Amino acid sequence: MKSLLVYLKDYKKETILAPLFKMLEASFELFVPLVLAAVIDVGIADEDRPYIIQMCLVLIALGLIGLICSITAQYFSAKAAAGFGTGVRHALFSHIQSFTFTEMDVIGSSTLITRMTSDINQAQSGVNLVLRLFLRSPFIVFGAMIMAFTVDAEAAVIFVIVIPLLSVIVFGIMLITMPLYKKVQANLDKILLTTRENLAGVRVIRAFNKEEDERKRFESENEALTDAQKFVGGISGLMNPLTYVVVNGGIIALIYAGALRVNVGDLTQGEVVALINYMSQILVELVKLANLIVSVTKAIACGNRIESVLKMKPDMESGSCMWPADTASAAPAVEFDHVCLTYKGAGDESLTDITFRAEKGQTIGIIGGTGSGKSSLVNLIPRFYDATKGHVKIFGKDVREYDTENLSEHIGVVLQKAVLFKGTIEENLRWGNENASAEDIEEALEISQSKEFVEGKAGKLEFQIEQGGRNLSGVNKQRLTFARALVGRPEFLILDDSASALDLATDAALRRAIRGMKEQPTVFIVSQRAASIQYADQIIVLDDGETAGIGTHEELLSSCPAYQEIYYSQFPKEAASNGR
């Protein structure tokens, strides 16, 4: 948490003024019992109405000044806390953007979202509370005790006894309940997870008639949370009665001792009232301080969670080489040299000893069963992951030597899952190239087979896409992701099983249009459809992360059992032989 306090450096003035004004408010509050004592001892005792009015005006003035100080302190603390939260949020988001797929896989997107939202809000709230109350509450407690001694030293001895007793009760209950609240939070996390799973998988739950089972699971987890909350709530509920017993006992002792001393003339009635008021102030501030410490403890825990993410360093470092100006060299466009890949935390290799070459302008098909490593292979080209063994080379240079931003500018990727963002169609397409001309966008729409459906939408390119593309069909979402990748006119185009929603005719038209592009990009097509890759210049067949065969469609069909199994499972042998 300490390292996060650097984000308060631009708010030094606010972090000083907020507690300072709170101390001023507390100082005026400590004078109130003395004024009340004067009203009772002088004004009421002597029936001096002008004096009573004068002292009442003093009380009002103290109240107004205290209110102004409190509002001012709240303003400065809120400003500093909001600035702190904004700074941490920007820093965390920027840091997350530097993470590779490896870090995202290890941490998990849901955890990062929690730390970006609720954890930062909790830390921000903690900063706000510390600036306002961390000095005020101890100041009131000890200030009230000192003021009690100025009123009457003998009666103030009761404060010396009561304050430690109150502290033991308040902080003892706090220490007991804090770990219990953590268990409550863990049970709450389980309910949130169950709720999220049920909402996300509502169709599957209904399809398999599992509503009753899920309802029972939710009720069981909800009961566990309720029981935990009741238990910790019962312990927390002891704070008020125990503290009020001690305080009322202290007040009884004050009244008794005060009555005896008033009776002999050593103490006035107003001074007894002042002592009782100071006792009440101490009670209120100790309870506030306990709640403050609980909140600050939560804030520190959340701050440590944020800090742990900020301390994570991406395991990839950007190189310094830029994309070559002349790519018409003798070196192959892409070369895999005995490449192996093991994901972080995995026991076995996902790719083992992959070796092949792809020349500029070629179309490379990659096929294999589920889990054979097709996506893992193409993810190494734009450097989403780094090979654990061997070398991935682009135009003769190891991909690690390239500047990562420059590398991504020349590689267009269409991932398996079609992801669109809230905004217009044009805004989504310009992700591929923010400076794209109208002609570039139109050409990308034509190649991706999207032009017809876009022109049929109200507003055409200005048609508003909802979050995640909810208002588009799966086919149209995939078409637009193709167009987005093509707008940048990439030299490499990676299609990672991204035509699964397209019918065979549209898929074939898309591949023909890509082959006809004047830039002649080097294309990598990952697919489980033999029809999508059979016309590729080179086909790589993967089986359990290893190369089962490399060659053209005809070569593999005659010599590669793994390819034959895939092909003939999709095309009967008679139809396949007739097609040839």
Side-chain angles (χ1 to χ4, degrees):
M1 180 69 180
K2 288 182 180 178
S3 65
L4 298 183
L5 297 180
V6 69
Y7 298 103
L8 279 172
K9 65 181 181 180
D10 294 331
Y11 299 92
K12 291 178 181 177
K13 179 183 71 174
E14 286 79 4
T15 55
I16 294 171
L17 290 176
L20 178 62
F21 275 96
K22 268 296 175 183
M23 297 276 278
L24 285 173
E25 179 207 355
S27 301
F28 290 118
E29 190 173 327
L30 290 172
F31 285 118
V32 170
L34 296 180
V35 177
L36 283 174
V39 170
I40 295 170
D41 292 339
V42 178
I44 296 176
D46 299 340
E47 296 184 359
D48 188 348
R49 289 189 177 182
Y51 184 81
I52 295 174
I53 294 172
Q54 182 182 352
M55 289 296 103
C56 288
L57 291 175
V58 170
L59 285 175
I60 293 172
L62 288 173
L64 289 174
I65 294 171
L67 177 64
I68 293 169
C69 290
S70 178
I71 292 172
T72 306
Q74 179 64 59
Y75 168 76
F76 285 126
S77 62
K79 184 178 179 181
F84 167 82
T86 301
V88 173
R89 195 172 285 110
H90 278 295
L92 185 60
F93 185 79
S94 177
H95 188 65
I96 290 172
Q97 295 302 306
S98 69
F99 283 170
T100 63
F101 281 23
T102 301
E103 283 83 35
M104 297 297 290
D105 293 342
V106 171
I107 303 173
S109 57
S110 59
T111 301
L112 292 175
I113 291 171
T114 301
R115 298 187 191 193
M116 279 285 298
T117 52
S118 63
D119 282 354
I120 290 181
N121 288 340
Q122 189 70 52
Q124 178 177 324
S125 176
V127 170
N128 194 347
L129 288 172
V130 166
L131 291 178
R132 288 193 294 116
L133 299 176
F134 195 70
L135 291 179
R136 182 188 189 278
S137 293
F139 181 79
I140 287 282
V141 170
F142 291 105
M145 187 171 67
I146 292 169
M147 294 298 285
F149 273 98
T150 63
V151 174
D152 184 68
E154 290 187 23
V157 173
I158 298 172
F159 284 78
V160 178
I161 300 171
V162 169
I163 288 176
L165 284 176
L166 285 173
S167 300
V168 168
I169 293 170
V170 170
F171 293 108
I173 290 175
M174 183 194 70
L175 291 174
I176 294 170
T177 54
M178 278 174 58
L180 295 176
Y181 275 122
K182 290 181 181 178
K183 291 182 179 179
V184 169
Q185 194 65 34
N187 288 330
L188 180 60
D189 289 342
K190 289 181 182 178
I191 286 186
L192 292 175
L193 176 62
T194 301
T195 305
R196 186 175 63 183
E197 286 179 342
N198 276 265
L199 292 175
V202 62
R203 296 185 180 184
V204 176
I205 292 169
R206 290 180 179 176
F208 287 89
N209 195 26
K210 290 291 184 180
E211 294 99 321
E212 190 61 32
D213 293 340
E214 290 301 312
R215 189 178 291 112
K216 288 179 180 177
R217 182 160 75 105
F218 179 82
E219 287 175 357
S220 173
E221 292 174 351
N222 197 35
E223 285 177 7
L225 175 65
T226 303
D227 292 341
Q229 285 179 323
K230 283 181 179 178
F231 182 68
V232 70
I235 296 175
S236 297
L238 292 173
M239 184 179 291
N240 279 348
L242 289 177
T243 51
Y244 278 102
V245 164
V246 173
V247 168
N248 286 325
I251 290 173
I252 291 171
L254 280 173
I255 292 173
Y256 177 76
L260 293 177
R261 293 175 64 74
V262 168
N263 195 40
V264 297
D266 291 340
L267 202 65
T268 65
Q269 295 174 348
E271 289 172 336
V272 174
V273 172
L275 290 171
I276 293 172
N277 280 334
Y278 284 129
M279 184 70 76
S280 300
Q281 285 182 353
I282 288 171
L283 169 66
V284 171
E285 292 305 323
L286 278 175
V287 173
K288 280 184 183 178
L289 186 60
N291 293 330
L292 168 66
I293 292 173
V294 171
S295 299
V296 169
T297 303
K298 291 179 181 178
I300 291 172
C302 292
N304 291 336
R305 282 160 54 88
I306 297 165
E307 195 174 41
S308 67
V309 176
L310 289 172
K311 285 182 177 179
M312 288 188 68
K313 300 298 180 185
D315 61 357
M316 294 183 189
E317 293 185 3
S318 178
S320 57
C321 291
M322 307 303 284
W323 195 268
D326 180 19
T327 56
S329 60
V334 175
E335 182 180 1
F336 276 56
D337 183 13
H338 300 287
V339 169
C340 301
L341 173 65
T342 303
Y343 288 109
K344 193 169 185 178
D348 299 326
E349 290 182 336
S350 298
L351 294 175
T352 304
D353 198 27
I354 305 295
T355 301
F356 72 91
R357 297 173 61 158
E359 302 297 335
K360 180 175 170 58
Q362 279 190 334
T363 297
I364 309 298
I366 302 170
I367 197 168
T370 302
S372 59
K374 304 184 296 295
S375 296
S376 298
L377 188 148
V378 294
N379 282 339
L380 296 175
I381 300 171
R383 211 185 168 200
F384 293 155
Y385 298 93
D386 272 342
T388 48
K389 294 180 184 177
H391 299 277
V392 180
K393 297 179 181 178
I394 294 179
F395 296 117
K397 289 183 180 179
D398 194 300
V399 71
R400 295 181 180 90
E401 298 179 21
Y402 284 97
D403 178 81
T404 51
E405 290 189 12
N406 184 251
L407 184 69
S408 63
E409 290 174 0
H410 293 85
I411 301 177
V413 181
V414 185
L415 299 172
Q416 289 177 336
K417 185 178 180 181
V419 177
L420 297 172
F421 298 90
K422 182 177 176 62
T424 65
I425 291 177
E426 183 176 357
E427 287 171 347
N428 272 271
L429 294 183
R430 288 191 180 277
W431 275 60
N433 180 9
E434 61 182 8
N435 299 317
S437 64
E439 291 76 15
D440 292 335
I441 293 175
E442 185 175 359
E443 183 180 350
L445 290 174
E446 287 179 355
I447 296 172
S448 64
Q449 313 301 303
S450 308
K451 188 173 181 181
E452 184 179 348
F453 103 81
V454 170
E455 290 186 344
K457 294 291 183 183
K460 299 180 180 180
L461 287 174
E462 297 303 316
F463 176 76
Q464 283 288 332
I465 297 174
E466 293 181 6
Q467 181 184 358
R470 289 194 303 253
N471 55 340
L472 294 178
S473 66
V475 173
N476 290 337
K477 283 197 288 186
Q478 283 197 338
R479 288 172 173 175
L480 286 180
T481 56
F482 275 106
R484 181 174 60 195
L486 293 167
V487 163
R489 298 180 179 274
E491 296 191 42
F492 287 2
L493 184 61
I494 298 173
L495 311 179
D496 186 3
D497 202 13
S498 49
S500 56
L502 303 182
D503 58 80
L504 291 174
T506 305
D507 185 16
L510 173 65
R511 285 184 279 107
R512 283 196 301 271
I514 291 173
R515 282 199 302 271
M517 291 174 63
K518 57 180 177 292
E519 290 85 8
Q520 293 185 329
T522 305
V523 183
F524 292 84
I525 302 176
V526 174
S527 180
Q528 296 188 35
R529 290 179 182 174
S532 297
I533 53 94
Q534 64 179 332
Y535 298 108
D537 298 303
Q538 188 178 184
I539 298 172
I540 302 170
V541 184
L542 294 178
D543 183 19
D544 197 21
E546 298 181 359
T547 305
I550 297 178
T552 63
H553 169 69
E554 290 76 13
E555 291 170 351
L556 293 172
L557 202 57
S558 62
S559 62
C560 181
Y563 186 75
Q564 291 168 3
E565 182 182 353
I566 295 171
Y567 185 78
Y568 289 129
S569 68
Q570 299 174 17
F571 298 96
K573 286 191 177 183
E574 293 181 4
S577 59
N578 292 335
R580 284 186 290 164

